[in-house]
Amino acid sequence: MKIQPYIFPKNCEQAFRFYEEVLGGKIVELHHFKDMPPQEGHESTGGEGCGPSPEQLAAMGDKVMHVNLEIDGQSIMGSDGMEDGTVQGFKINLNFTEVEQGKKVFEALSRGGKVEMPFQETFWSKGFAMFDDRFGVSWMINVDDGSKRP
């Protein structure tokens, strides 16, 4: 089993292009709502489908229906699908073994965002930080090189 976060950041495509650059991954899928075919059976075609109408799809313009960013065999996926763009209730944790790498990613991702706890050594970690990026996504950076474990 793989656990893959699915997030709804503000300006999804811009956010994922930024994550691709900072985290060194690759966007392997990117679909926009405007390119989605109307659902078969939609009321506009005489059926009762539950998908958006062609007019609704066109109005969504270049908003992202689905994006998949792969990083070292793992994925973070997302969409512009949420109406207000608010992300709540979780943080994405990035775990590193090198302090320099953790600090570099923290500095890049947190720029223009809101830092809750700056990158610093803690009793459990050589480096730890919590913050929201400029797209409203909450992150934690943790450096675990095994030296702080009992």
Side-chain angles (χ1 to χ4, degrees):
M1 174 174 62
K2 288 185 180 180
I3 297 173
Q4 300 172 319
Y6 203 102
I7 61 175
F8 298 88
K10 299 170 189 157
N11 304 311
C12 185
E13 186 166 355
Q14 182 182 0
F16 271 78
R17 297 274 182 214
F18 176 65
Y19 302 152
E20 179 180 43
E21 178 184 328
V22 170
L23 300 175
K26 180 171 175 50
I27 293 175
V28 296
E29 272 186 279
L30 178 63
H31 306 284
H32 296 92
F33 282 103
K34 71 177 184 176
D35 300 322
M36 182 177 162
Q39 181 164 343
E40 200 173 309
H42 190 275
E43 59 190 38
S44 66
T45 61
E48 294 185 21
C50 62
S53 70
E55 295 78 22
Q56 290 169 319
L57 286 174
M60 296 176 105
D62 286 326
K63 289 189 176 192
V64 173
M65 180 189 76
H66 175 73
V67 62
N68 182 358
L69 172 64
E70 285 189 355
I71 309 161
D72 294 330
Q74 303 172 87
S75 290
I76 299 175
M77 296 180 281
S79 174
D80 276 316
M82 290 182 70
E83 290 182 23
D84 69 358
T86 302
V87 179
Q88 297 179 356
F90 73 95
K91 294 183 186 308
I92 297 175
N93 181 67
L94 300 177
N95 204 51
F96 298 94
T97 57
E98 301 290 329
V99 172
E100 297 77 25
Q101 187 182 20
K103 186 172 184 171
K104 180 181 175 184
V105 170
F106 162 73
E107 289 172 352
L109 285 178
S110 66
R111 193 173 299 119
K114 180 182 170 195
V115 175
E116 185 177 337
M117 181 176 175
F119 189 83
Q120 60 189 293
E121 187 169 351
T122 66
F123 70 91
W124 72 86
S125 176
K126 292 272 189 177
F128 180 79
M130 292 191 302
F131 58 95
D132 293 344
D133 69 20
R134 67 182 188 223
F135 302 102
V137 175
S138 297
W139 298 86
M140 293 188 309
I141 303 287
N142 191 57
V143 178
D144 181 5
D145 65 358
S147 66
K148 298 266 187 167
R149 294 183 189 174

